[in-house]
Amino acid sequence: MTLAVRYTAARTLDTAPALDVPPGPGEVELAPAYVGICGTDLHIFHGDMDARVAAPAVLGHEMSGRVVRVGPDVEGWAPGDAVTVMPLRWDDTCPACRAGHHHICHHLDFIGIDSPGAMQQRWTVPASTLIRLPHTLPLDHAALVEPTAVAVHDVGRAAVRDGEKTVVIGGGPVGILIALVAQAAGAEVCVVELSAHRRALAQELGLTAWDPAADDIGVLVGEWTGGAGAEVAFEVSGAAGGVDTAVEVLGVRGRLCLVAIHPRPREINLHRFFWRELTLVGARLYDRTDFEKAVALVADGTIPADRLITKTVPLTEAPAAFEALESGGDVMKILVDCTDTTAPTHLTDDAAQGAAI
């Protein structure tokens, strides 16, 4: 028996024994090391995804760990290998899969949402989901590969090019990662973010950051671009105002990449799309090439993982960490250490302030 963090009902998590499932054909058993808590995990915690998530459900999909056992017919993997998981299982028969877009399969199993996730001491997954990690990459840093893969996919969907003025609306973990990946692609990047803490972090990382509550973002972008407007905008805030700002800042034939999951339909200025011949693209999840590039970006320090990880808590403190993250505050990313099962303690004041990730 091993320990797992389980969602049991709205705003209720527990740490309970879980069955150690041996790997079957084509499967690998992992020992998760670190698992990040993301915005989707918080949506599950709030009960917003009960129509999709069957309780009790083991959460977690941003992870790193090591292979423990391999099942029959698995080649190329051995106990001790450092890995992360691309948590997608598709049917390979639907129209999306047949068109080569497996990551948006019509019947996609997102592992950690639709099936048991990584927030446990042992985790059995298909060997096909494994992504190899370099031995020099610390496993806590490697837990940021999955959200970095999201950013890589987003920047690819927006076709960001060298020298382009790029505005990221929303400076949470994914927004900052998008900004860093776009910057690595040669773009000049500005982050629009309400949180003073997140703006300060963005500036420390070499990004321009503006406060939409204090600044006229349209005017600032106009000055920044010599009146032309930005070539690219990413909407990562999930707010109606974020959509408006993203459309407003774009210049002629600008590209808006929609990253955030909006909980309801939004009004959008279609006249602006007509007048400036704007393009709107959606961006969802990632593919294997995105993951492999993300590994390289985290490993070479382009993604400063140590600056983005605010706190690491033992597995037994994960329920308290979810509660703390609700309140917002000076936090970017909290990791759960699945190898540490020390008795729960009170979170520090800094961590108790939480964050909306």
Side-chain angles (χ1 to χ4, degrees), residues 9-20:
R11 300 186 50 77
T12 306
L13 298 174
D14 67 14
T15 306
L19 290 176
D20 186 357

Side-chain angles (χ1 to χ4, degrees), residues 162-184:
D162 185 41
E164 289 190 318
K165 296 288 199 305
T166 299
V167 180
V168 179
I169 312 297
V174 171
I176 292 295
L177 289 170
I178 288 171
L180 291 170
V181 173
Q183 183 175 253

Side-chain angles (χ1 to χ4, degrees), residues 234-321:
F234 292 91
E235 205 308 281
V236 199
S237 72
V243 176
D244 293 340
T245 299
V247 174
E248 179 188 3
V249 301
L250 287 171
V252 170
R253 292 204 168 181
R255 287 123 41 214
L256 169 55
C257 184
L258 182 62
V259 177
I261 301 174
H262 287 256
R264 60 186 62 85
R266 302 292 192 193
E267 291 188 3
I268 190 166
N269 185 350
L270 290 180
H271 183 269
R272 188 86 163 189
F273 271 78
F274 157 76
W275 200 251
R276 293 197 168 186
E277 291 196 348
L278 304 181
T279 298
L280 172 63
V281 296
R284 179 184 170 198
L285 299 175
Y286 30 62
D287 59 25
R288 179 167 289 271
T289 59
D290 297 322
F291 250 84
E292 291 169 347
K293 184 172 181 179
V295 170
L297 290 172
V298 176
D300 70 13
T302 299
I303 302 302
D306 56 338
R307 296 289 295 113
L308 300 177
I309 299 168
T310 305
K311 185 176 179 65
T312 301
V313 301
L315 184 71
T316 47
E317 285 192 16

Side-chain angles (χ1 to χ4, degrees), residues 145-160:
V145 166
E146 192 273 352
T148 301
V150 170
V152 170
H153 185 75
D154 298 341
V155 170
R157 284 287 289 153
V160 174

Side-chain angles (χ1 to χ4, degrees), residues 66-154:
R66 294 190 183 275
V67 173
V68 175
R69 290 187 288 177
V70 300
D73 304 323
V74 172
E75 297 180 355
W77 299 102
D81 287 345
V83 299
T84 186
V85 166
M86 185 175 73
L88 308 180
R89 186 188 287 117
W90 49 81
D91 66 13
D92 216 22
T93 63
C94 75
C97 289
R98 293 199 304 272
H101 307 305
H102 298 93
H103 68 291
I104 48 177
C105 171
H106 292 189
H107 309 106
L108 187 69
D109 172 7
F110 192 110
I111 304 171
I113 299 175
D114 304 308
S115 56
M119 214 168 285
Q120 53 185 317
Q121 292 177 295
R122 292 291 184 271
W123 189 34
T124 296
V125 297
S128 60
T129 66
L130 300 186
I131 306 289
R132 193 176 302 277
L133 299 174
H135 71 275
T136 55
L137 179 58
L139 288 181
D140 57 344
H141 291 190
L144 269 65
V145 166
E146 192 273 352
T148 301
V150 170
V152 170
H153 185 75
D154 298 341

Side-chain angles (χ1 to χ4, degrees), residues 163-205:
E164 289 190 318
K165 296 288 199 305
T166 299
V167 180
V168 179
I169 312 297
V174 171
I176 292 295
L177 289 170
I178 288 171
L180 291 170
V181 173
Q183 183 175 253
E188 297 180 47
V189 184
C190 172
V191 176
V192 178
E193 169 58 44
L194 286 167
S195 164
H197 171 75
R198 290 177 171 181
R199 288 198 309 275
L201 176 60
Q203 291 167 343
E204 290 173 15
L205 299 177

